[in-house]
Amino acid sequence: MTVLTGSCLCGARAYEIDGEIDGVWACHCSLCRKVSGSNGNAILIVPKDRFRWVRGEDHGVTFALRETYTITRCKTCGTPLPAETDARNVYVTAGTLDAPLGSGVRTHLFCASRADWDRDEPDTRFFDERSS
Ligand SMILES: [Zn+2]
Ligand SMILES: [Zn+2]
């Protein structure tokens, strides 16, 4: 069986996901934009019984922003990591994966809240690494 692995920037926290996940949910709501400081959040929705911490489960700080919206960051490096859970699922920040997912974004949420800059201009430049 496929096992996906992920971790925070400093490596204090790490997790595993059993089996394949069918794509990413990209949320553009105002909460996700503020909390990420970017264009939103990219999330994997993982059934609870397929997710487990392998390191640093307790090494996080959870911010309960609203009753239905929490975010947990690593205590050391601040990386947002899987936090928000409901009865069935864990919501995993896709950027913390350490291996290819094998599928892309399948769903965009709160598109009406999207920042006006959240798009490529016709003359957007792309570099494989940083520009020099
Ligand atoms: Zn960390
Ligand atoms: Zn959102």
Side-chain angles (χ1 to χ4, degrees), residues 27 29 32 69:
C27 185
C29 81
C32 286
Y69 193 101

Side-chain angles (χ1 to χ4, degrees), residues 23-34:
V24 172
W25 297 67
C27 185
H28 303 275
C29 81
S30 58
L31 297 176
C32 286
R33 285 194 284 115
K34 288 286 187 187

Side-chain angles (χ1 to χ4, degrees), residues 22-128:
D22 187 25
V24 172
W25 297 67
C27 185
H28 303 275
C29 81
S30 58
L31 297 176
C32 286
R33 285 194 284 115
K34 288 286 187 187
V35 140
S36 69
S38 186
N39 63 347
N41 273 319
I43 297 294
L44 310 173
I45 300 179
V46 180
K48 272 186 168 174
D49 61 354
R50 292 172 53 192
F51 176 90
R52 66 185 162 275
W53 289 103
V54 295
R55 206 163 53 241
E57 179 172 6
D58 300 325
H59 194 73
V61 183
T62 296
F63 301 89
L65 302 169
R66 303 220 173 142
E67 200 174 317
T68 57
Y69 193 101
T70 62
I71 188 124
T72 297
R73 292 178 174 271
C74 172
K75 273 186 194 171
T76 302
C77 69
T79 299
L81 278 159
E84 197 180 359
T85 59
D86 57 30
R88 290 185 311 166
N89 300 305
V90 179
Y91 298 84
V92 177
T93 42
T96 60
L97 283 172
D98 289 326
L101 181 63
S103 58
V105 175
R106 287 207 187 275
T107 310
H108 286 277
L109 300 171
F110 287 95
C111 291
S113 298
R114 211 169 179 143
D116 74 328
W117 53 262
D118 184 6
R119 60 194 161 89
D120 289 332
E121 295 290 354
D123 58 349
T124 298
R125 301 175 303 161
F126 294 88
F127 300 94
D128 285 343

